[in-house]
Amino acid sequence: MFSEPQRQNRMAAKKKPKNQHERTRVDHATEKAEDYVEAIAEVIEEQGVCRVKDLAEHFAVSHVTVNRTVSRLQRDGYVTTEPYSPVELTSKGTKLAKDSRHRHEIVFSFLVALGVSEETAATDTEGIEHHVSPETLALMEKYIAGTQG
């Protein structure tokens, strides 16, 4: 009836994870850092430097909010900055920005390939990109490759 790998997959799917919400909590914890480093990389790419005011405009939040977030990013080793100086990505921050951008592009392209309008796909991607599993992302990428080939 079922091959051994199929049977094992079905059994694994029936098992309830220890804490089914744990990954979502972890994803939420890194979501802001991912958004910020991705935005910092984009601003640096477009303007050469990224300042707090650029991030405040990008996210439509106050300078105080940006300063607090940048302080956390600096504490966690993603950025470096000094008062009244541009925000720069560390190698750790650059890697996170690159990974976030790659995930963003895959999710966006997948949604568009399904027929979602670009405007809706752009909005939906902002939420999905932080919570998509590596398995799902790989299948999205495979699907996109199949539609372009």
Side-chain angles (χ1 to χ4, degrees):
M1 183 192 281
F2 291 112
S3 69
E4 184 58 25
Q6 288 173 324
R7 191 183 69 71
Q8 288 176 354
N9 285 341
R10 288 175 56 82
M11 296 290 286
K14 289 181 181 180
K15 290 182 183 177
K16 186 176 180 181
K18 286 183 188 177
N19 185 336
Q20 63 191 28
H21 302 290
E22 183 176 351
R23 193 182 108 216
T24 301
R25 282 195 298 275
V26 170
D27 292 344
H28 279 301
T30 61
E31 191 170 333
K32 187 176 279 190
E34 290 172 351
D35 282 342
Y36 267 76
V37 296
E38 193 175 356
I40 292 166
E42 287 173 15
V43 172
I44 291 172
E45 205 172 274
E46 292 169 7
Q47 301 177 15
V49 295
C50 180
R51 299 190 179 278
V52 168
K53 73 176 185 84
D54 299 319
L55 296 171
E57 289 172 9
H58 179 85
F59 290 110
V61 297
S62 71
H63 285 71
V64 173
T65 299
V66 172
N67 280 326
R68 287 182 184 150
T69 303
V70 168
S71 291
R72 283 192 296 275
L73 293 173
Q74 191 167 15
R75 178 199 68 202
D76 295 342
Y78 295 111
V79 302
T80 59
T81 191
E82 295 293 328
Y84 308 104
S85 296
V87 180
E88 297 177 354
L89 292 171
T90 62
S91 58
K92 180 179 177 182
T94 300
K95 181 178 179 344
L96 182 61
K98 181 181 173 191
D99 292 347
S100 296
R101 181 178 289 171
H102 180 69
R103 207 170 46 249
H104 182 105
E105 290 169 355
I106 291 170
V107 172
F108 178 79
S109 296
F110 175 75
L111 293 175
V112 170
L114 289 178
V116 176
S117 71
E118 288 194 9
E119 183 179 344
T120 300
T123 301
D124 290 350
T125 296
E126 288 304 321
I128 296 169
E129 70 178 308
H130 301 291
H131 303 282
V132 65
S133 69
E135 176 186 4
T136 301
L137 194 66
L139 290 171
M140 287 176 167
E141 195 166 27
K142 183 178 178 182
Y143 178 86
I144 295 164
T147 63
Q148 295 173 350

